[in-house]
Amino acid sequence: MTLADEQPKKKLTAAEVERLVSRLRGVPTGAPSLEEAKAMREAGWFLVVAYCRISDDAHRRDGHGVEDQTRHCARIADRGRMVVIHHYIDNDKSASKANIVRDDFDNMVVALERGTTEAGYPVDGVVCVADDRLYRGAHAYERFVDAFTMHPDRVYADETGRHDLYGDGAEYRGLLGVAAARSETKKKKRRARLNHLARAERGEPVSGRRPFGWNEDKLTLHPGESAVVHQGVMDLLAGKSITTVTRNFNASGYTSTMGNGWQLQTVKQILRNPRICGYRKINGELVTDASGNPVVGKWEAITTPKEWYAVTALLEKSRNAGGWDGSGEGKRTPRKYLLTGLVRCGKKLEDGRTCHTKMHGAPARKTHKYRCRSVLDGGCDKLSRQGPAIDKLITELVLAKLEKRNSEREPVEETWADEPKLEAAQRRKSALEEQWHAEEISDSTFFSLLKKEEAEIKRLSNERKSWAARQEKRKHAVTDVRAQWKDMDLQQKRETIFGALEAVIVLPGVKGSHKFDPDTIIPVWKEEDAS
């Protein structure tokens, strides 16, 4: 029975797919035993491993893609007196994204370097359905070829036949394959963007996850959820705050489509989304027709466009009041309090965690205070401390730190010590290129040595840039920080403090005591200023 036969109509979970795919990994069903394989090898057969991969198994989520590849790899092997003795499989993993780890590709490279599979079978070669299953970048290709050629006389085959990976032409073939793969990846992304835009222009829903307020078909309204969204719109238009609207979302009993409770930002996102009035945005712009009119989607709307525009204007207005210039110029207005955005709540919560939410400045009687944000805004709303005392303490600590750093400041160096090393590396690279143009060295030798020299030049160049930046910083270091501090405006003072500190942790004071305890204020210095 195949994986496709076992597939239920419902999509499987990632864990279920992995269990199914794991049955394909390793020694294939019906493969010869180790002793039998060695005897076949003596008789002229090649013992090969098969590498199978697909980038996206999200559509059917059943592992059928890699299973089909294992069968095709067996057919490729049969054509050339090869027998597959191990399957290496990476399901639902891209080969073109740098942050994707392909575990079985790494395992195959190790087996090629070692010369045997995990089960002890000798490795005489590799088969796969196409090159782009193995690699889509130069680094992966180099890793594969380096490991493959560590042992002599191996075979490599795909659907187009056998290929020699030992000759000079192998590198050109690989680089051409990388270029072709990158081109195809860009084409797919471009086609996906165009398809996304075309569907939006036709008014079809394109979101992957079910949007809150609609049923699974993304077209018809969910009666309960849509009512919550509509009431939120009406409440905002009636003058109620977004905090009150968020409380009502939580009181409704409905969670987000991810199963989470509601916070201010998630509620704002829903109410700002033009989907609620039948419109759609792509890259921040409404999708319009040839006449410039917004395209009306095929899904049922929760509110009218007029109401949505009004709600959006209200939410934008409230955002401007929080520190942005309401003129629309996009400029920051100076903060009212010195440490807003830097102080964080250090109160222990009931579950043992520390809150760590950013505190905000707020007016208090004759002065100001720093307080934790509300629960709806991600905080605990249980800590408030006097602001002037914290401001004074942190200012003194930062000024003392800057004074000490200036007194210990190293003299400005005029010449970088490793300049001769960089010049030598550049000369070696030039000489290497001259040898290659004169056909005194082979292509493989040239590119191998060139890669090393370029890496050394890049490393030394980066070190020189860092050195130059340090020297420039020393040239312009503040010499009398206290004298200049008096002449700074609030924004300049904030920039100075934020340049020295990562955060300021504010712990609760002693209950019932009105005495300020400096030990409850913990500065977190940036690495270069760490004590």
Side-chain angles (χ1 to χ4, degrees), residues 352-423:
R353 295 181 299 109
T354 303
C355 179
H356 281 161
T357 302
K358 286 184 179 180
M359 305 174 75
H360 63 92
R365 189 166 57 182
K366 296 183 180 180
T367 179
H368 69 279
K369 59 185 176 181
Y370 294 110
R371 60 181 299 172
C372 189
R373 299 182 182 278
S374 69
V375 176
L376 293 176
D377 208 8
C380 68
D381 199 19
K382 294 183 179 179
L383 181 61
S384 176
R385 297 293 304 273
Q386 54 179 305
I390 299 176
D391 291 348
K392 183 178 179 181
L393 174 64
I394 293 301
T395 297
E396 181 58 36
L397 290 174
V398 169
L399 291 177
K401 174 68 71 174
L402 293 176
E403 286 177 329
K404 181 181 179 182
R405 186 170 64 187
N406 287 338
S407 66
E408 298 173 348
R409 191 171 71 247
E410 298 178 11
V412 175
E413 300 173 10
E414 297 298 331
T415 306
W416 181 48
D418 285 339
E419 189 70 43
K421 292 183 180 180
L422 177 58
E423 292 174 352

Side-chain angles (χ1 to χ4, degrees), residues 135-138 172-187:
Y135 62 88
R136 286 203 168 194
Y172 292 114
R173 178 178 178 272
L175 293 176
L176 287 173
V178 169
R182 286 183 175 177
S183 176
E184 182 60 25
T185 298
K186 289 181 179 179
K187 287 179 182 177

Side-chain angles (χ1 to χ4, degrees), residues 24 52-54 57 62-70 91:
L24 294 172
C52 308
R53 180 191 66 82
I54 63 170
D57 190 27
D62 60 0
H64 75 283
V66 288
E67 183 188 31
D68 293 344
Q69 289 184 31
T70 61
N91 188 53

Side-chain angles (χ1 to χ4, degrees), residues 425-491:
Q426 291 170 334
R427 287 195 299 271
R428 290 196 300 270
K429 179 186 175 185
S430 297
L432 191 63
E433 290 172 338
E434 290 176 3
Q435 287 180 291
W436 183 60
H437 284 298
E439 298 185 353
E440 296 174 1
I441 56 176
S442 67
D443 293 341
S444 60
T445 301
F446 169 69
F447 284 108
S448 175
L449 295 176
L450 181 65
K451 182 169 60 175
K452 295 178 182 178
E453 294 300 341
E454 287 178 336
E456 180 69 1
I457 290 171
K458 183 177 181 180
R459 181 184 69 81
L460 291 169
S461 297
N462 288 336
E463 288 184 4
R464 183 171 62 177
K465 290 178 183 177
S466 299
W467 170 84
R470 290 195 300 270
Q471 302 315 303
E472 191 66 21
K473 187 175 181 181
R474 288 169 186 162
K475 287 180 183 178
H476 297 89
V478 178
T479 55
D480 190 352
V481 289
R482 290 189 185 275
Q484 294 200 15
W485 185 264
K486 296 176 183 178
D487 297 327
M488 291 182 183
D489 59 26
L490 177 62
Q491 191 65 13

Side-chain angles (χ1 to χ4, degrees), residues 232-347:
V233 171
M234 294 298 103
D235 287 345
L236 278 180
L237 295 178
K240 294 184 180 180
S241 68
I242 187 63
T243 301
T244 299
V245 172
T246 304
R247 288 198 183 101
N248 291 340
F249 265 68
N250 280 308
S252 71
Y254 291 105
T255 63
S256 72
T257 53
M258 296 290 288
N260 301 321
W262 296 102
Q263 293 192 350
L264 289 171
Q265 290 305 317
T266 48
V267 174
K268 286 180 181 179
Q269 288 171 5
I270 286 178
L271 298 181
R272 285 198 192 107
N273 192 337
R275 191 182 216 279
I276 65 174
C277 75
Y279 294 166
R280 176 167 180 79
K281 278 186 178 181
I282 291 183
N283 296 327
E285 299 290 336
L286 283 175
V287 177
T288 58
D289 58 22
S291 302
N293 299 314
V295 174
V296 178
K298 296 179 180 179
W299 56 88
E300 296 179 11
I302 294 177
T303 188
T304 66
K306 184 177 180 180
E307 290 168 342
W308 174 75
Y309 278 116
V311 164
T312 302
L314 286 172
L315 292 174
E316 291 299 322
K317 182 179 179 180
S318 66
R319 178 159 58 175
N320 292 336
W324 290 95
D325 182 1
S327 67
E329 297 293 327
K331 299 177 181 178
R332 269 287 193 183
T333 57
R335 299 250 184 186
K336 190 174 182 179
Y337 305 107
L338 184 65
L339 301 179
T340 300
L342 192 67
V343 286
R344 289 182 176 270
C345 176
K347 184 173 179 60

